[in-house]
Amino acid sequence: MVLKKILPIAVATVLAIGCAMSVKADPVELEVSGTVDLVSGNYVGDVMVGHAINGTFIFDTDEANAAPSSQTTPSNVPGHEFSSFYDFVGAPYGVSLSIPALGGSFNNTGPVGVVVNDDLELTAAETNGMVSDGTYDWIEILGSTTVSICTHPSGTCNQNELVPADGEEWTLAIVTSDTNWITDGSLIPDALPSSYTLFIVGNEFDENGNEVGLVIASASIVPEPASVALLTSMVGIGVFARRRKA
């Protein structure tokens, strides 16, 4: 498996290197365009390497607007590590993507999630070579059409142990090697780092929570901002296997 989810929230796999933002007010709207780099599983035969992909991710950087289902404490569950996770429910929040060559689109039906990762490790294998092995700060913005299920033999799971099932997840990751970008892992950063790599990731899951499809695409912000702008000045769980740095 190229990428491994960490949260009970579905994540679609398309990688974006450079993402688009519209400068407005709260919340934040990121518009991205990219090119598919990897396709596997159920997406084979429909999505193709080289297909263009476009997406809009609308979320928030104000934690006070998040739903009670958010988790502000770190998760150290293997394969589900993160620093914090926030749910933003209802309009104007949303995730939508389209692949023009197919004429189809994705629109989330659940909350929009924001996953904060402070000083966690990623590998080239996990990201299809989008980043090198190392320790990074990054956030993920994701939307899904999945349901969350518990696959533990006991039938009982904590929230961060649930897995996505029976639908798709699409996620935008903003990754930086500047580990000073996120100084408090319980908070969503308000500004972009000085340099970063953007990913959009798409996954499909069956009714038992097994990943049955994966798409990864490199992408960029539309238009690329001339300078680093505050996320809070723009309108607008995870995708990777995370390991906290020892």
Side-chain angles (χ1 to χ4, degrees):
M1 182 185 299
V2 178
L3 300 178
K4 187 175 181 181
K5 280 65 55 192
I6 54 167
L7 290 183
I9 300 176
V11 179
T13 305
V14 178
L15 295 173
I17 295 186
C19 210
M21 311 174 186
S22 303
V23 178
K24 300 175 185 174
D26 256 355
V28 177
E29 179 176 318
L30 300 182
E31 296 181 12
V32 306
S33 66
T35 304
V36 173
D37 295 311
L38 180 146
V39 181
S40 68
N42 286 357
Y43 289 114
V44 174
D46 293 320
V47 182
M48 298 179 65
V49 171
H51 271 167
I53 185 166
N54 303 310
T56 301
F57 296 77
I58 303 175
F59 62 106
D60 211 322
T61 60
D62 186 347
E63 297 82 6
N65 293 330
S69 54
S70 303
Q71 181 174 334
T72 59
T73 56
S75 169
N76 295 311
V77 175
H80 294 253
E81 295 92 339
F82 59 85
S83 300
S84 60
F85 175 82
Y86 291 90
D87 272 331
F88 294 97
V89 180
Y93 309 117
V95 171
S96 61
L97 295 103
S98 65
I99 297 179
L102 300 180
S105 62
F106 167 88
N107 293 280
N108 70 294
T109 57
V112 172
V114 178
V115 186
V116 180
N117 304 285
D118 182 12
D119 286 5
L120 298 183
E121 293 182 5
L122 288 175
T123 68
E126 290 168 332
T127 62
N128 195 43
M130 292 294 176
V131 298
S132 302
D133 296 0
T135 301
Y136 296 89
D137 283 358
W138 79 94
I139 64 171
E140 300 165 39
I141 303 103
L142 63 92
S144 77
T145 59
T146 61
V147 295
S148 295
I149 64 172
C150 177
T151 59
H152 194 277
S154 69
T156 303
C157 291
N158 294 322
Q159 182 181 3
N160 59 356
E161 295 173 322
L162 297 172
V163 298
D166 198 22
E168 293 182 273
E169 287 184 338
W170 289 92
T171 300
L172 174 67
I174 304 173
V175 182
T176 180
S177 58
D178 179 4
T179 54
N180 292 317
W181 178 41
I182 298 173
T183 57
D184 184 342
S186 68
L187 301 175
I188 303 168
D190 290 330
L192 291 172
S194 58
S195 63
Y196 52 90
T197 296
L198 304 180
F199 312 17
I200 304 174
V201 180
N203 295 94
E204 182 179 353
F205 303 91
D206 67 16
E207 63 275 11
N208 296 314
N210 300 307
E211 182 188 283
V212 294
L214 174 67
V215 175
I216 297 179
S218 54
S220 59
I221 291 179
V222 184
E224 184 68 31
S227 61
V228 177
L230 285 179
L231 288 176
T232 51
S233 71
M234 303 175 293
V235 172
I237 325 165
V239 179
F240 310 106
R242 301 167 177 82
R243 292 177 301 282
R244 186 168 298 280
K245 184 178 179 183

